[in-house]
């Protein structure tokens, strides 16, 4: 059983929007801080956004601040990433990650669980 499964990716024109979802199973979702990362071809995986287990203190990379919104629904074991005003440079595979314990974007790079990713392609 895959603990984290992303969905919602696709092809969208620049300026458009997408909503990514990450459904968790087999873990106590409400105990985990959650993050979104992305990896473009030829580049390293980079932090996008994070949210604490209690939906507090969202954190965003500067490149997406004001355009992306992270949220979660512990009743549905799901974390979301709303992507607005998409740009060509947002094209990447987007991954969700789950980590117990201390919160912080650097710590989330060492997450306990990772999803398999969903492709977001923005056409210019």
């Amino acid at each position: 059983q895959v603990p984290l499964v992303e969905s919602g990716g696709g092809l969208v024109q620049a300026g458009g929007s997408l909503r990514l979802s990450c459904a968790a199973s087999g873990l106590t979702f409400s105990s985990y801080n959650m993050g979104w990362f992305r990896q473009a071809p030829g580049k390293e995986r980079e932090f996008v956004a994070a949210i604490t287990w209690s939906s507090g203190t969202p954190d965003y990379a500067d490149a997406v601040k004001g355009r992306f919104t992270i949220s979660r629904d512990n009743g549905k074991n799901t974390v979301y990433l709303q992507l607005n005003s998409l740009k060509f440079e947002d094209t990447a595979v987007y991954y969700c990650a789950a980590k117990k314990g201390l919160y912080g974007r650097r710590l989330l790079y060492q997450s306990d669980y990772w999803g398999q990713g969903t492709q977001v392609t923005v056409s210019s």
Side-chain angles (χ1 to χ4, degrees):
Q1 190 177 18
V2 179
L4 300 176
V5 178
E6 301 95 336
S7 62
L11 174 64
V12 63
Q13 289 188 333
S17 298
L18 284 173
R19 189 194 196 201
L20 307 184
S21 299
C22 172
S25 61
L27 53 90
T28 307
F29 179 73
S30 58
S31 298
Y32 286 80
N33 301 316
M34 300 297 297
W36 285 95
F37 291 75
R38 66 186 182 186
Q39 188 166 18
K43 295 188 176 181
E44 293 185 351
R45 189 171 298 190
E46 65 174 0
F47 169 79
V48 175
I51 190 167
T52 66
W53 63 271
S54 61
S55 297
T57 322
D59 185 22
Y60 298 96
D62 288 344
V64 307
K65 201 171 293 184
R67 299 188 298 120
F68 292 7
T69 302
I70 188 171
S71 62
R72 66 188 295 164
D73 185 336
N74 286 346
K76 295 183 178 180
N77 290 351
T78 302
V79 62
Y80 305 97
L81 187 67
Q82 179 68 40
L83 291 66
N84 295 332
S85 303
L86 282 161
K87 303 176 182 180
F88 176 75
E89 51 265 39
D90 294 319
T91 296
V93 178
Y94 283 71
Y95 300 89
C96 65
K99 182 168 177 60
K100 263 189 176 181
L102 296 177
Y103 176 68
R105 62 174 70 180
R106 290 188 180 181
L107 295 172
L108 280 162
Y109 276 94
Q110 313 301 326
S111 283
D112 302 311
Y113 299 101
W114 290 87
Q116 295 179 319
T118 185
Q119 176 71 47
V120 172
T121 303
V122 184
S123 62
S124 57

